[in-house]
Amino acid sequence: MKMSALKNLFIWPVLVITGFFSLLPLIWLLLSAFVPENSLALLKPNLKFLPTLENFSGLVQASGRSTGTIQVSRIWIWFFNSILLAVGGTFLHLIIDSMAAYAFARRSFPGRNLLFGLIVGSLMLPQMVTLVPLYLLLIRLGINNHLAGVLLPGLADAIGIFLLTQFMRTLPIDMEDAARLDGISEWRLYTQIIIPLSVPGLTALTIFSFQGIWNQFVLPLIVLQRSQSFTLQVGLSYLSQTEFGFHYGWIMAGAFIMILPVFMVFFLFQKNLDKGLRIYSIHPS
Amino acid sequence: MSQKFLRFTVCFVFLSILLSACGVSPTMESNNNEVVVRYYRRGYVEGGTDVGTVTIRQAVDQFMTEHPNIQVEIVGIPWTEEGTAKIEAALLTKTDVNLISLANVSLPGYVERGLISPAEDFMSEEDKADFLPGALEASTVNGKVYAWPLWVTAVAIYGNNALFEERGVNIPTIDSPWTYEEFVAAAQQLTFEREDGSQVYGFSTPSMPGMFGFLPMLYMDGGRVLSEDVSTFVQNQPNGISALQKIADLSLKYHVTPPDFGAVDQASVVEQFKEWQNVAMIMETPATLANLEDAAFDFSVIPPPVGESGEIVTTGGFGMFAVIDVEDEAVENASHLLAQYLTSTQVSLDVEGWQRAPGLRKSNTSYATTPARELIVQLVPYGVFEPSANISSEVTSQYNAAIQSVLLGQKTAEEALNEIAPVYQAELK
Amino acid sequence: MKLHWKKSQLIWSYFFILPAFFFFIVFRLYPLLHVFVLSFQKWDIQGAKWIGFKNYEHLLNSQLFGMAFWHTLLYTVLVVSFWMASAFGIAFLLQSFHQKIKNLFRGLYYLPHVTGVVVLSLTWAWIYEPQIGLFNHVIKWAGGQPVMWLQDPNLALWSIILSSILVIPGSGVILYSAAFAALPTAFEEAAELDGANRWQKIFFVFLPLLKPTTLYLLVIYTIAGFQVFDRVYLMTGGGPVNATTTLMQLIYLTAFRDANYGLASAQSAILFFAVCSVTFLTFRLLRVDFTYQV
């Protein structure tokens, strides 16, 4: 059989069908978010798919208003918490990971391979088994119920260090020596030479950190007990399990809000992605 | 170099602190003479507009105006096992929760774990004289009153008047209630397909572990879960088995329930009844009655069907407040003060719509303001309130799973109850 | 070579890794060690008490724990094998396409990964909804009886597995595609000269050459599979009748609903050893020295 015939008869259908099922949740999410709830719900034959924003206004109203000093819909409070966590966390990841990666990739010191091995090895450990002691620890530190309780444990980021180390190893070696001969301090060598050269790697890390923190679920679920400190993920799943019952239109509207920032970051930085993806795309779903 | 190093370190530390401080802090600032009470309330929605949320908010605001040195923070948690998890997580911190509302069945568990500060020491003589004896009894563990009784609930059936009229079904009264067979016939009559092709079902009730709505029907043939002296599991006797089977038959044999019956939560049941109107009858607690009244929904209260025991049986629980034992004496006292206010007759006068179930003080007669509520009050004396035993949540969840497996047609009532009996019995010692 | 380190250089080196290791030790290593300590204790709000192997004994006799283990194993084996096969298969099929089409498809497969499990699970719960969900919608339209995807105890776990395998793992497709692209063509040409057919080429050329990628994905997916929680928690909460309770769901309930932290730690420890031994076996079976290179 010729390649082109095979393509048309077999490969294309397989790709289209698997692609369709992969995207089915997303397609259904978009449809449900923008179609009036009752036309989805009642299975009436005269379905009219007129796009509408009523699910969004329903969601914003029904999710309740915060009672603190700023009185807005809780959805916005949660959105703000999620953004704060993702932006702040990504920023700290970039600093901490790039420092460690610089040491592992460009400097030599006793125990380097052992420590790097430990970091990489920790990728092979199931993180979730530490959930119970981690929660007890956060209580002792007094940061349960607090965004910091979600942020700080996430800063032990093996995968980011690994990615950046791999990246920094590919940088040319001689400019460091040249810089050192110029009498530059170690700290300035890192901030003014290594960091600017590592921008592509850091960009990839930005995307993945943001995505990873944004989509975090178990830790915030356990750590954040009060509705005013929920993240969007925890808040929306809470609503879907309790107060929203059958209002799937509202839940899907919330899910749409939830995917917007990650999709924006994804499409903005997509060009820089391929390099990073190869090493980094290992948070499986 | 060292200067820069220092600058960096300072920046780093500052940034970390800033970021963690930025996190919306739920703990309120408290100065020296201000006490913060954290009150965990099931079903409370921050900023919500349902009756329960609005009235509790108003009552607490009223309390805070009267006691300016006490700050009350209400934490809403769901009725499900998820809510239990939230309380447990908070208990672990020893400070994050000061007051909880709970049903009488869960009180002994908390007391035996040494978590509750007894209400008795704080109750005035007037309080003790004013509370109905049954209410105090329900809040008593090992001879001591541990909790502040709020109200008693009685589960009833709520029927959609429009659907009853459309299908020509008469609404029974408390003097001539439906038998189980008549109830099934009515439910069958109310199960039909509308002209637009949508399906209407006769009956539904919450059936997720942790919030079973059908509990009164477990007793309709005269059976009980526990023997009176709390020593034996007796639900696997014939009159317990037959009742459970009759509940499961509604879906398995008579097909009068929506397809999600057996694994449906409370919010969905109420929504199907109230908003979609594709369920004609639901079995629910009086809290739902208040919600339906608030939404001006046209409904009737129907007594639970009568089984072989020959009389109406309902059940429910005593809603009560328990103060968590914490180290800070001032917080504990403030929590008792709040509990006292929230269970007083005064609060029902201060907050319109506060009383969502019959109150437990002799001086409090503010509940029965409508015929529907009148009926609930009449149902309370028919209530079976089982003695509470301290069953671990693991076994409770196994028991719930056993019941659910019957509703879903996995096992017959006899199989499931005989299987769970020894496990349950082991907990009773 | 004997290295000579200057003291100031050394201090700088350790300074650079200090923040990272601080967080590692406090939030990874310490909790990991603590989990084993806790598993020998009865730990409640009043404090800790040593009880030896009681927690483990309890688990040995617990029917629920056995069920949870079995559900987790079933989920992992099925989902991981489907994910591996589909990632490899699709990357293989994509190979013959023009770069632009390749990129388009890789992007499409990667989108659900960006979306995150929470959104996917909420959407799947909605698709599976018994009365008005998409699947029963379609079934009803085709004249069938509604299926209780998540309410039927015999079906619920399969529905959850289905929701996982229907979404092709974008990360795997991308990794395999990259690995295919990096393969030297010489091997394939040699095989073609020897008259190898398509299947022979897959089994004797591609699979062996792609072993490092396979090993890597296998390990990562298996670890993720054993820890499945989000979708179970969001779609069924472990029910109905514990039909979908997985190990993580059980640990969550034991710790945070039943307040039995010692027992939950024992469950965690068993999960830990299960994952470690499976990972170890995978490494041994595939016999590749793992060189941090992907």
Side-chain angles (χ1 to χ4, degrees):
Chain A
M1 201 166 12
K2 267 192 185 158
M3 199 58 200
S4 61
L6 188 77
K7 253 187 188 171
N8 288 334
L9 276 174
F10 175 68
I11 301 183
W12 272 109
V14 168
L15 291 181
V16 169
I17 290 170
T18 53
F20 171 75
F21 277 110
S22 289
L23 292 182
L24 179 71
L26 278 179
I27 299 169
W28 195 233
L29 184 159
L30 288 179
L31 216 58
S32 316
F34 288 99
V35 159
E37 246 184 4
N38 55 358
S39 70
L40 278 169
L42 292 174
L43 301 178
K44 285 180 183 157
N46 54 347
L47 283 182
K48 277 192 201 131
F49 286 105
L50 291 172
T52 166
L53 290 177
E54 67 182 45
N55 288 330
F56 289 88
S57 54
L59 167 80
V60 168
Q61 275 163 24
S63 55
R65 295 176 79 76
S66 63
T67 45
T69 35
I70 316 163
Q71 298 210 346
V72 287
S73 169
R74 286 193 298 175
I75 283 290
W76 304 128
I77 299 271
W78 299 340
F79 189 78
F80 175 75
N81 286 345
S82 280
I83 290 280
L84 191 73
L85 202 59
V87 172
T90 305
F91 188 65
L92 289 178
H93 272 189
L94 288 177
I95 297 175
I96 293 170
D97 295 354
S98 65
M99 280 172 69
Y102 166 59
F104 283 130
R106 316 291 301 184
R107 307 179 68 93
S108 82
F109 53 91
R112 184 183 72 171
N113 290 343
L114 177 76
L115 293 177
F116 189 61
L118 272 179
I119 299 244
V120 177
S122 79
L123 283 174
M124 302 285 141
L125 301 178
Q127 300 298 344
M128 307 252 281
V129 301
T130 60
L131 212 55
V132 176
L134 187 60
Y135 185 64
L136 299 181
L137 174 69
L138 293 177
I139 287 175
R140 231 173 306 155
L141 296 176
I143 49 172
N144 61 311
N145 253 325
H146 212 292
L147 286 184
V150 182
L151 181 81
L152 296 181
L155 294 179
D157 175 26
I159 219 150
I161 295 174
F162 177 53
L163 165 76
L164 281 180
T165 306
Q166 295 297 94
F167 183 86
M168 287 184 186
R169 276 182 183 156
T170 64
L171 300 178
I173 186 118
D174 41 348
M175 70 248 132
E176 255 170 302
D177 295 335
R180 279 209 182 91
L181 284 177
D182 285 351
I184 195 172
S185 80
E186 293 298 321
W187 180 247
R188 280 183 60 186
L189 178 66
Y190 160 74
T191 53
Q192 297 185 351
I193 299 191
I194 299 292
I195 292 291
L197 282 171
S198 306
V199 165
L202 292 172
T203 318
L205 181 61
T206 305
I207 302 173
F208 297 121
S209 291
F210 187 88
Q211 192 186 314
I213 300 173
W214 184 267
N215 288 331
Q216 233 178 339
F217 184 64
V218 192
L219 196 58
L221 174 75
I222 287 161
V223 173
L224 308 174
Q225 299 290 329
R226 306 286 216 285
S227 80
Q228 60 264 48
S229 58
F230 281 175
T231 62
L232 200 49
Q233 273 66 16
V234 174
L236 199 66
S237 58
Y238 175 79
L239 286 183
S240 84
Q241 287 181 332
T242 55
E243 293 145 28
F244 276 15
F246 264 90
H247 285 291
Y248 281 99
W250 298 353
I251 297 169
M252 290 300 108
F256 181 77
I257 297 177
M258 212 144 89
I259 58 175
L260 268 188
V262 267
F263 271 41
M264 268 163 57
V265 171
F266 179 74
F267 284 115
L268 276 179
F269 295 99
Q270 200 198 2
K271 277 186 191 141
N272 304 57
L273 214 61
D274 237 37
K275 243 180 254 153
L277 268 184
R278 286 199 41 213
I279 315 166
Y280 203 80
S281 62
I282 60 177
H283 277 304
S285 38
Chain B
M1 182 193 86
S2 66
Q3 208 185 349
K4 271 167 199 150
F5 171 69
L6 195 72
R7 209 163 60 197
F8 169 78
T9 320
V10 169
C11 278
F12 182 80
V13 170
F14 177 72
L15 195 75
S16 314
I17 294 170
L18 188 75
L19 272 162
S20 19
C22 265
V24 182
S25 162
T27 46
M28 297 184 184
E29 305 302 323
S30 59
N31 45 38
N32 289 341
N33 48 3
E34 202 170 67
V35 184
V36 179
V37 172
R38 300 195 174 86
Y39 166 36
Y40 273 59
R41 170 83 197 167
R42 299 231 189 209
Y44 174 81
V45 184
E46 195 185 297
T49 51
D50 61 298
V51 204
T53 297
V54 170
T55 51
I56 194 74
R57 185 77 251 163
Q58 285 172 351
V60 165
D61 284 346
Q62 177 69 29
F63 177 79
M64 288 199 290
T65 333
E66 280 165 28
H67 302 90
N69 62 327
I70 302 177
Q71 276 287 323
V72 181
E73 186 192 352
I74 314 173
V75 181
I77 49 169
W79 284 102
T80 50
E81 295 183 335
E82 218 29 58
T84 317
K86 297 252 177 241
I87 293 182
E88 286 304 330
L91 283 172
L92 203 52
T93 64
K94 295 183 178 171
T95 52
D96 271 4
V97 50
N98 307 116
L99 181 65
I100 53 175
S101 24
L102 72 175
N104 55 319
V105 283
S106 18
L107 186 64
Y110 286 111
V111 170
E112 279 184 28
R113 286 162 65 197
L115 294 168
I116 306 296
S117 153
E120 192 171 313
D121 308 344
F122 205 88
M123 279 183 185
S124 67
E125 285 310 312
E126 294 95 77
D127 284 330
K128 286 178 191 162
D130 197 17
F131 280 120
L132 296 169
L136 286 178
E137 202 177 299
S139 349
T140 300
V141 182
N142 305 330
K144 192 154 196 178
V145 180
Y146 272 91
W148 295 83
L150 172 65
W151 54 42
V152 58
T153 64
V155 175
I157 297 176
Y158 302 112
N160 179 331
N161 283 347
L163 286 173
F164 271 62
E165 200 167 311
E166 187 183 339
R167 302 295 293 168
V169 178
N170 289 325
I171 290 161
T173 61
I174 195 157
D175 301 317
S176 60
W178 277 333
T179 62
Y180 174 75
E181 289 73 25
E182 287 166 334
F183 166 68
V184 169
Q188 280 172 325
Q189 177 65 19
L190 290 162
T191 303
F192 66 102
E193 199 174 279
R194 284 205 185 96
E195 270 171 30
D196 63 9
S198 64
Q199 178 71 39
V200 177
Y201 299 94
F203 177 76
S204 188
T205 187
S207 43
M208 288 283 255
M211 47 176 189
F212 288 149
F214 49 78
L215 295 176
M217 289 161 85
L218 288 179
Y219 306 122
M220 68 183 164
D221 287 346
R224 295 285 183 271
V225 177
L226 297 172
S227 66
E228 220 148 279
D229 59 355
V230 208
S231 67
T232 328
F233 180 81
V234 295
Q235 205 185 354
N236 57 339
Q237 288 172 7
N239 51 5
I241 291 171
S242 63
L244 178 58
Q245 194 58 54
K246 280 179 184 172
I247 302 169
D249 282 348
L250 292 175
S251 117
L252 304 175
K253 194 164 151 194
Y254 303 113
H255 310 290
V256 296
T257 56
D260 54 8
F261 183 79
V264 63
D265 61 37
Q266 192 180 20
S268 300
V269 168
V270 174
E271 197 163 318
Q272 289 174 43
F273 178 74
K274 191 172 106 182
E275 283 173 35
W276 298 12
Q277 309 202 9
N278 69 341
V279 171
M281 295 185 278
I282 56 171
M283 194 170 238
E284 262 292 336
T285 65
T288 300
L289 183 144
N291 268 334
L292 293 173
E293 281 182 345
D294 195 48
F297 189 85
D298 184 20
F299 70 101
S300 299
V301 177
I302 300 167
V306 175
E308 280 159 29
S309 69
E311 55 180 36
I312 301 178
V313 196
T314 182
T315 182
F318 287 89
M320 44 185 64
F321 292 92
V323 173
I324 304 296
D325 197 349
V326 289
E327 271 171 30
D328 193 336
E329 203 81 354
V331 173
E332 223 172 277
N333 289 342
S335 310
H336 277 297
L337 211 55
L338 175 61
Q340 187 180 37
Y341 174 69
L342 293 179
T343 55
S344 66
T345 304
Q346 187 58 38
V347 69
S348 63
L349 303 173
D350 287 346
V351 179
E352 198 195 329
W354 167 262
Q355 209 69 35
R356 289 181 298 133
L360 292 171
R361 281 176 184 264
K362 290 167 195 154
S363 59
N364 184 351
T365 50
S366 59
Y367 178 66
T369 48
T370 60
R373 289 175 174 221
E374 193 70 50
L375 224 145
I376 298 288
V377 176
Q378 287 173 15
L379 277 175
V380 170
Y382 295 99
V384 169
F385 301 104
E386 292 223 34
S388 32
N390 181 18
I391 306 292
S392 72
S393 27
E394 197 188 343
V395 170
T396 305
S397 100
Q398 283 181 39
Y399 169 78
N400 288 339
I403 301 285
Q404 205 186 9
S405 71
V406 178
L407 299 186
L408 292 168
Q410 291 274 295
K411 288 174 185 156
T412 66
E414 192 171 3
E415 286 165 2
L417 289 173
N418 281 331
E419 252 171 57
I420 195 70
V423 183
Y424 209 103
Q425 187 60 52
E427 289 276 301
L428 299 169
K429 283 146 211 162
Chain C
M1 183 179 75
K2 186 150 193 295
L3 288 169
H4 182 69
W5 284 294
K6 261 165 73 183
K7 201 177 166 197
S8 69
Q9 286 288 327
L10 275 186
I11 292 174
W12 271 109
S13 295
Y14 290 119
F15 163 74
F16 277 114
I17 61 166
L18 183 71
F21 268 87
F22 170 75
F23 287 108
F24 256 95
I25 291 167
V26 176
F27 293 111
R28 286 278 153 86
L29 193 63
Y30 167 71
L32 187 62
L33 298 177
H34 197 194
V35 107
F36 298 109
V37 177
L38 279 173
S39 72
F40 294 105
Q41 291 179 334
K42 179 170 171 51
W43 208 104
D44 58 26
I45 291 145
Q46 267 73 31
K49 208 172 80 193
W50 284 92
I51 52 166
F53 282 90
K54 280 235 177 71
N55 286 327
Y56 290 96
E57 274 168 39
H58 180 91
L59 290 181
L60 274 181
N61 300 318
S62 163
Q63 205 190 350
L64 187 59
F65 184 74
M67 263 166 74
F69 202 94
W70 164 243
H71 293 152
T72 310
L73 205 63
L74 190 69
Y75 176 90
T76 308
V77 168
L78 282 175
V79 170
V80 170
S81 37
F82 263 93
W83 276 358
M84 292 304 296
S86 57
F88 180 84
I90 287 187
F92 178 73
L93 294 181
L94 277 178
Q95 235 195 328
S96 54
F97 283 96
H98 188 264
Q99 191 62 35
K100 270 191 182 153
I101 298 179
K102 229 193 256 184
N103 285 346
L104 175 79
F105 268 102
R106 286 197 311 198
L108 286 185
Y109 289 123
Y110 196 68
L111 272 189
H113 184 84
V114 179
T115 315
V117 189
V118 175
V119 170
L120 287 182
S121 308
L122 288 174
T123 315
W124 273 109
W126 164 217
I127 290 175
Y128 281 143
E129 207 287 323
Q131 294 188 56
I132 51 171
L134 175 65
F135 276 9
N136 278 357
H137 210 129
V138 173
I139 289 174
K140 197 174 179 183
W141 174 75
Q145 281 297 310
V147 177
M148 301 293 106
W149 298 96
L150 297 173
Q151 284 74 22
D152 182 345
N154 297 322
L155 208 64
L157 184 62
W158 299 104
S159 302
I160 288 182
I161 291 174
L162 186 72
S163 80
S164 295
I165 61 181
L166 275 186
V167 176
I168 305 290
S171 50
V173 173
I174 286 176
L175 277 186
Y176 267 127
S177 292
F180 269 120
L183 284 185
T185 46
F187 293 103
E188 199 185 340
E189 281 162 11
E192 256 163 41
L193 284 178
D194 287 344
N197 68 24
R198 198 173 300 276
W199 291 109
Q200 283 168 332
K201 247 165 47 184
I202 290 179
F203 278 107
F204 299 112
V205 180
F206 292 131
L207 275 180
L209 284 174
L210 295 177
K211 220 157 142 186
T213 312
T214 305
L215 174 69
Y216 179 72
L217 283 175
L218 198 58
V219 168
I220 293 294
Y221 284 161
T222 309
I223 293 174
F226 268 103
Q227 296 182 87
V228 60
F229 173 76
D230 298 11
R231 57 179 82 230
V232 173
Y233 175 86
L234 288 168
M235 283 158 78
T236 63
V241 201
N242 294 324
T244 56
T245 303
T246 58
L247 280 177
M248 264 324 292
Q249 176 75 26
L250 187 64
I251 291 170
Y252 174 78
L253 289 179
T254 312
F256 296 101
R257 180 197 65 193
D258 301 354
N260 203 338
Y261 304 96
L263 189 64
S265 299
Q267 291 163 344
S268 305
I270 292 179
L271 173 62
F272 178 81
F273 284 119
V275 173
C276 286
S277 42
V278 169
T279 310
F280 179 74
L281 276 179
T282 317
F283 274 99
R284 288 306 291 272
L285 284 174
L286 290 184
R287 282 176 208 284
V288 179
D289 294 320
F290 193 59
T291 57
Y292 318 141
Q293 301 284 338
V294 181

